[in-house]
Amino acid sequence: MIQYEQLHHVGLNVTDLAKAKEFYEKVLCLPEIARPPFDFEGAWYAAGSQQIHLLVLPESQTIRRDPSLSSREGHLALRVKSYQETLDWLKKHNVDVLEKPNSVSGFAQIFLADPDGNLIELHVERP
């Protein structure tokens, strides 16, 4: 039997590190953290007690080529404090979003994509 403690990180492939870093730092407001000196480009970010690792691999098979937003494609989800403040912030930064404030999941959800099409869900638990 495997006993888990927590999800530690999610690794996402990106093609342009500068563009990805601008998005994760300026739009998603995630703090960059130290990364070991690997022999390939990338960046690590703290997301609460978990991490997001960006891995530069332009030929990755996991990079989505279709820019459309979907809540059914593979994605990572981050809990935010305020649905409306998050939505306002994203719109201020001209980020395309898929709003699902009344999702049957029990979360008020906002779906968006990073510059390489990696899908991200930002949500708050609905009372």
Side-chain angles (χ1 to χ4, degrees), residues 32 65 75 84 87 96:
E32 187 172 7
R65 305 295 180 212
H75 61 275
Q84 193 59 52
L87 185 59
D96 290 330

Side-chain angles (χ1 to χ4, degrees), residues 3 34 39 56-57 83 90 93 116:
Q3 296 180 336
D39 62 354
V56 177
L57 186 64
Y83 183 89
L90 294 170
H93 287 84
D116 286 294

Side-chain angles (χ1 to χ4, degrees), residues 5-127:
E5 292 183 4
Q6 70 177 14
L7 176 67
H8 181 267
H9 73 271
V10 173
L12 300 173
N13 289 124
V14 299
T15 59
D16 182 325
L17 186 59
K19 192 189 262 187
K21 286 181 71 161
E22 182 171 337
F23 179 83
Y24 283 86
E25 293 171 21
K26 303 273 192 298
V27 176
L28 293 185
C29 305
L30 292 171
E32 187 172 7
I33 58 176
R35 175 182 181 265
F38 293 112
D39 62 354
F40 60 92
E41 287 186 293
W44 288 8
Y45 293 93
S49 62
Q50 285 75 37
Q51 300 174 10
I52 297 172
H53 296 179
L54 302 183
L55 313 162
V56 177
L57 186 64
E59 66 278 7
S60 170
Q61 295 182 46
T62 64
I63 292 177
R64 296 175 68 245
R65 305 295 180 212
D66 180 351
S68 64
L69 298 174
S70 170
S71 61
R72 294 181 59 191
E73 293 278 348
H75 61 275
L76 70 95
L78 301 170
R79 181 157 291 179
V80 296
K81 290 188 178 188
S82 169
Y83 183 89
Q84 193 59 52
E85 286 177 19
T86 300
L87 185 59
D88 292 346
W89 176 263
L90 294 170
K91 288 183 176 185
K92 176 181 169 184
H93 287 84
N94 300 312
V95 175
D96 290 330
V97 298
L98 171 62
E99 298 176 49
K100 293 191 152 204
N102 300 308
S103 170
V104 297
S105 67
F107 307 122
Q109 302 166 306
I110 303 167
F111 287 86
L112 59 137
D114 75 6
D116 286 294
N118 291 300
L119 290 173
I120 300 164
E121 171 189 337
L122 304 176
H123 72 253
V124 297
E125 194 162 352
R126 287 197 339 254

